[in-house]
Amino acid sequence: EFLVSDAGTLKRIDYSLIKAANTAEFLAYISSDQTINHNSATKVTFQTESYDPDGVFDNSSNYRFVAPSAGKYMMYTNITVYDASTDIEEFKIFFYKNGSKLTEAAWQKNSGNRLMKANLTTTLVLNLASSDYIEVYVYNNQVDSGSTVIEAQSSIIQNYFGGYKLIT
């Protein structure tokens, strides 16, 4: 407790009422490979939570963050895709807000160069209302029209989605 003076009158106030905290924090990651199809946007299924003390990320069915209250939120994601045939020509990651594409980060080939593995990271501060939700999608285009994998590594967190509410 703290003692504060209010026009000469001493009052007691509990620390819990004045402390600031980054509530609604979470970090989710991919714990098993996810196949993504050629030439289509696919929602990333982050199956495992590293932390989520406020229960704001659904890692069992919707794979999304839901804002518990209005405010500014820092969102970030990192995705690595792998194609054993070295056929990746284009790779994009998106933040979707309430089911609609909001942002895009992209890698595209130049003059015939293709990749076996591609990695993208994006970060964004969003002004969200209570119950707005954010999801991560990927898009992949490769030469053979087959599929590419978002890799899960057993020893490192490679593909993740996280965020927290900013103190304003």
Side-chain angles (χ1 to χ4, degrees), residues 66-135:
V66 179
S69 61
K72 290 188 177 10
Y73 290 82
M74 171 65 79
M75 298 279 112
Y76 54 91
T77 190
N78 183 81
I79 303 293
T80 300
V81 293
Y82 174 78
D83 184 319
S85 302
T86 314
D87 285 337
I88 300 170
E89 291 191 309
E90 183 178 27
F91 168 49
K92 299 177 183 181
I93 57 176
F94 312 103
F95 279 130
Y96 274 53
K97 177 182 174 186
N98 300 330
S100 298
K101 185 171 30 171
L102 180 66
T103 66
E104 176 181 312
W107 175 90
Q108 294 176 310
K109 74 170 184 120
N110 79 9
S111 18
N113 296 329
R114 296 184 305 265
L115 292 178
M116 176 185 290
K117 189 178 268 192
N119 177 275
L120 285 172
T121 301
T122 192
T123 305
L124 185 64
V125 174
L126 296 171
N127 194 18
L128 299 178
S130 178
S131 299
D132 280 348
Y133 63 91
I134 303 298
E135 302 162 303

